[in-house]
Amino acid sequence: MNRAPAVAGSFYPNDAATLSDMLNGFLDHAASDGHAPKAIVVPHAGYIYSGPIAASAYARLKPARDSISRVVLIGPSHRVAFQGLAVSAADTFSTPLGSVAIDQSAIQQLQQLPFVGYLEQAHALEHSLEVHLPFLQQTLTDFKLVPIVAGDASPHQVSQVLDILWGGDETLIVISSDLSHYHDYTTSQKLDRHTSELIETLDYQAISSAAACGRVPVSGLLKLLREKSLHIKTIDLRNSGDTAGDKYRVVGYGAYVVE
């Protein structure tokens, strides 16, 4: 079974060559200095809005292009309400750039957790995971995917999943989240700076769903980082008023890395 792309042609180009050129444009304009991150938090809007911000984190994967062989990708559910975390029975997830194999052994590992279950409806139309796949296909040589959609789950539940799959240098954690929604430009900047401070101080209990639509997976990552005595830093913080939208009603985007 293959999970076909749902937002190709709307959130990003559905032509492989056009998509690849767009991704290269974003990545070429992003700094790629520093160590390859263990985990990243990246936005999931249409590429014209959030692509440059996401590229700030993805460009840093260059040193690990050939060594990362598994990506754990968690994003919030926008269309289906459910309890816990949803995995998929699909063998592959596809984009215009090709198909990505699912790490079935990792999915099986998670079945020991009572709050993790198969729910294809949560994956079928969800963009919060899909928009990251072309970035991963463009920046990594060969990898398997562990796709997880987060419903109503606690930080502890998400951190348990991440801890089980944390692995070593072969595993990259990708958390999908936008920031504030539909404020004016100045208000959005103020709110998103505050949210970034909460993220950098690992204050996972203080982040609201209004501050970050991916609050559930973000909070779970921050809880685990605190337990592991690791740090996260902001590398990009902009909004749609900086990229392709007006400044009257914007959506905030941040890129964060754990090295």
Side-chain angles (χ1 to χ4, degrees):
M1 184 171 67
N2 173 62
R3 190 272 185 190
V7 295
S10 55
F11 278 60
Y12 60 87
N14 59 8
D15 174 75
T18 305
L19 174 57
S20 183
D21 287 345
M22 177 180 275
L23 290 167
N24 285 336
F26 292 146
L27 294 164
D28 288 346
H29 283 88
S32 57
D33 301 333
H35 300 290
K38 171 63 181 179
I40 61 177
V41 178
V42 275
H44 54 237
Y47 280 10
I48 62 169
Y49 299 106
S50 68
I53 296 87
S56 298
Y58 282 112
R60 296 187 177 218
L61 298 179
K62 187 176 181 180
R65 179 177 180 85
D66 298 322
S67 58
I68 293 173
S69 59
R70 179 173 70 172
V71 177
V72 180
L73 172 59
I74 308 184
S77 179
H78 286 85
R79 293 176 174 268
V80 180
F82 62 94
Q83 298 289 320
L85 301 170
V87 293
S88 172
D91 298 307
T92 55
F93 274 37
S94 64
T95 78
L97 299 182
S99 295
V100 179
I102 302 305
D103 187 339
Q104 299 292 350
S105 62
I107 300 289
Q108 288 300 317
Q109 270 186 286
L110 298 181
Q111 294 306 301
Q112 65 184 280
L113 301 171
F115 50 86
V116 176
Y118 292 103
L119 186 62
E120 302 307 331
Q121 300 98 309
H123 285 271
L125 299 176
E126 183 54 59
H127 66 271
S128 73
L129 304 189
E130 181 181 329
V131 298
H132 295 296
L133 298 183
F135 270 106
L136 291 164
Q137 290 171 301
Q138 197 79 357
T139 53
L140 301 179
T141 301
D142 186 35
F143 67 97
K144 288 188 175 182
L145 181 71
V146 187
I148 304 170
V149 178
D152 184 5
S154 69
H156 178 62
Q157 290 172 331
V158 175
S159 69
Q160 279 184 272
V161 165
L162 293 176
D163 199 24
I164 288 171
L165 300 179
W166 190 258
D169 292 342
E170 82 291 338
T171 299
L172 170 71
I173 309 293
V174 179
I175 304 296
S176 176
S177 182
D178 294 340
L179 299 176
S180 64
H181 281 59
Y182 309 137
H183 301 282
D184 65 80
Y185 184 85
T186 302
T187 301
S188 175
Q189 283 188 314
K190 180 179 179 181
L191 292 171
D192 295 341
R193 279 196 298 267
H194 176 64
T195 301
S196 291
E197 290 169 4
L198 296 177
I199 289 173
E200 289 190 330
T201 57
L202 308 181
D203 194 356
Y204 66 91
Q205 293 173 312
I207 299 173
S208 69
S209 55
C213 65
R215 174 188 62 86
V216 170
V218 169
S219 297
L221 173 66
L222 300 183
K223 182 178 188 296
L224 185 59
L225 295 182
R226 180 178 286 189
E227 293 166 359
K228 291 181 175 291
S229 299
L230 296 172
H231 304 284
I232 187 168
K233 66 180 180 180
T234 309
I235 61 168
D236 202 350
L237 189 62
R238 288 181 270 173
N239 61 53
S240 57
D242 296 309
T243 50
D246 61 49
K247 288 183 163 56
Y248 299 101
R249 196 166 180 262
V250 306
V251 177
Y253 312 119
Y256 309 85
V257 296
V258 179
E259 294 178 334

